[in-house]
Amino acid sequence: MTKQLSGYLLAATLAAATMHAQQPSAAPPTQTQARAAASTSGQAPPAQQPAAGQEQTDVNSATIHLGVNEVSLIFTVTDKHGHYIANLQQSDFALLDDQKAPARVNSFHQQINLPLRVGIVIDASTSIRSRFQFEQQAATEFLLQVIKPRSDRAFVMGFDVTPTVEQPWTDNLDALQAGINRMRPGGGTALFDAVYTACRDDLLTERGPEPVRKAMVLISDGDDNQSRAYLDDAIKMCQRSETIVYAISTNWTPSRGKGDQVLTRLAEATGGQAFFPPSVEEMAASFKNIEDELRSQYALNYTPADFKTNGAFRTIYLYCNDRRYQVRAKKGYFAPRE
């Protein structure tokens, strides 16, 4: 089978809901291959077009039930300046799951407004003592702006040598604010342990028949000197719990260090973003960007090809046909076990 024919089949699979996937080469696709795979020679035939109004559906107005073998992929599209791109269609994207086109696409929505499940994880180690109060204030303002009682829930965790949940899951804004205010800085920094524990004990358990938007807002300088877990362990647990990490760096030194690289890796591997405000007073702008993104994203539900409930990690490659735009999505997920 020629590359041109394989590319046509991939594009047709993403656009149509019934076509079966074809097996690509064993190596992960390059961006050039993915772009070719997504290209079509003209407008999609009527069978490929979503139902009227499908892209504009707000999932708050419809119930979405997920099967065991279905994947709900939430992603963001921006231009090179970081501005959100709206009004894209299903046929504007190319997708590979475990190096194969999906068996079928079940739904595609834009301008979604999923219920939020947010973990606020704050570095309370000695290294950030001088700016800790600013972090508390910014985190409190974020929760007050973002969390909608009765639909959204959040928890608050602080960490130094050990992680401590200051406020378990709740939609009570007063309780969340009190949890943030209870934190006191001191001790070493076990960042990887905190991320791992937050995902394993809190975010992993937030599952249900309908999709929710699970995110961790991590406030730290990224330095770790106490963890038993490694960075890769923390990333894998984020992926198992289907949690996207938004990291806000508290390193305001002129030179960017290893801590910023750690925060970037955590964010990119989970489909999130790392923010590097130039001063503590400008942290609020980073929180505002996270708020905007949590409420302005696309959702794609699909059935993977050759899906097996074996607990294996399955990679995801999602690209926009228009190469001016960048897609931020998780790099993969762990299939459930039987």
Side-chain angles (χ1 to χ4, degrees):
M1 184 180 292
T2 66
K3 291 184 178 178
Q4 182 177 7
L5 180 56
S6 298
Y8 175 80
L9 288 173
L10 174 60
T13 303
L14 184 57
T18 57
M19 184 170 289
H20 291 286
Q22 301 297 317
Q23 174 71 44
S25 61
T30 64
Q31 291 192 8
T32 301
Q33 290 170 328
R35 182 168 61 251
S39 299
T40 56
S41 57
Q43 291 186 344
Q48 293 180 338
Q49 297 296 334
Q54 181 182 18
E55 295 87 352
Q56 299 298 331
T57 301
D58 186 326
V59 298
N60 278 347
S61 63
T63 301
I64 300 176
H65 297 277
L66 296 180
V68 174
N69 64 335
E70 294 177 355
V71 177
S72 181
L73 182 60
I74 300 172
F75 58 96
T76 303
V77 184
T78 63
D79 61 18
K80 63 180 180 180
H81 302 294
H83 300 137
Y84 303 118
I85 304 301
N87 302 319
L88 296 176
Q89 310 299 316
Q90 177 180 318
S91 56
D92 291 323
F93 301 98
L95 171 68
L96 293 179
D97 181 300
D98 201 28
Q99 302 184 43
K100 303 176 185 67
R104 62 181 175 272
V105 174
N106 304 315
S107 64
F108 176 84
H109 303 282
Q110 65 171 257
Q111 298 178 357
I112 65 172
N113 196 14
L114 288 175
L116 299 179
R117 299 294 182 266
V118 180
I120 303 295
V121 180
I122 301 178
D123 188 338
S125 62
T126 302
S127 63
I128 52 83
R129 182 182 296 272
S130 62
R131 48 193 183 269
F132 188 68
Q133 185 176 359
F134 288 96
E135 295 179 12
Q136 289 176 302
Q137 292 173 351
T140 298
E141 291 173 6
F142 171 77
L143 287 173
L144 294 176
Q145 289 290 330
V146 171
I147 299 302
K148 298 178 180 177
R150 294 182 298 277
S151 66
D152 303 334
R153 293 181 357 127
F155 72 91
V156 175
M157 172 185 283
F159 69 92
D160 45 30
V161 177
T162 57
T164 302
V165 175
E166 300 290 352
Q167 174 56 54
W169 286 111
T170 184
D171 64 349
N172 186 312
L173 296 176
D174 290 336
L176 291 167
Q177 183 174 358
I180 292 175
N181 292 336
R182 276 194 294 270
M183 296 183 194
R184 295 294 181 269
T189 310
L191 169 64
F192 306 149
D193 287 352
V195 173
Y196 184 95
T197 302
C199 288
R200 181 194 63 189
D201 296 349
D202 294 285
L203 288 154
L204 185 62
T205 61
E206 284 293 302
R207 293 181 179 272
E210 287 82 30
V212 295
R213 184 75 170 91
K214 293 198 287 188
M216 177 188 300
V217 178
L218 175 63
I219 307 169
S220 176
D221 58 11
D223 292 329
D224 189 304
N225 54 25
Q226 294 286 337
S227 286
R228 290 176 293 178
Y230 294 97
L231 175 58
D232 286 344
D233 298 326
I235 289 174
K236 288 179 181 178
M237 189 52 67
C238 290
Q239 292 168 333
R240 287 188 184 279
S241 63
E242 299 182 344
T243 298
I244 295 180
V245 175
Y246 295 96
I248 300 178
S249 174
T250 59
N251 172 25
W252 290 292
T253 60
S255 60
R256 292 299 177 184
K258 292 183 179 180
D260 286 347
Q261 297 175 20
V262 166
L263 297 179
T264 299
R265 276 196 61 192
L266 271 169
E268 290 183 349
T270 59
Q273 189 174 6
F275 298 89
F276 304 99
S279 67
V280 67
E281 292 81 8
E282 298 187 43
M283 283 185 65
S286 299
F287 277 110
K288 183 63 171 65
N289 288 334
I290 296 172
E291 176 189 353
D292 292 342
E293 181 164 323
L294 286 173
R295 299 297 186 186
S296 305
Q297 295 171 320
Y298 292 86
L300 177 67
N301 177 274
Y302 66 92
T303 301
D306 298 333
F307 188 79
K308 298 179 177 64
T309 53
N310 56 5
F313 186 77
R314 297 174 66 96
T315 57
I316 289 176
Y317 294 92
L318 179 67
Y319 300 98
C320 184
N321 299 348
D322 190 328
R323 304 312 294 170
R324 295 175 301 169
Y325 303 148
Q326 299 176 341
V327 177
R328 252 194 348 268
K330 61 185 178 183
K331 305 300 182 184
Y333 62 96
F334 286 89
R337 293 186 182 275
E338 289 184 316

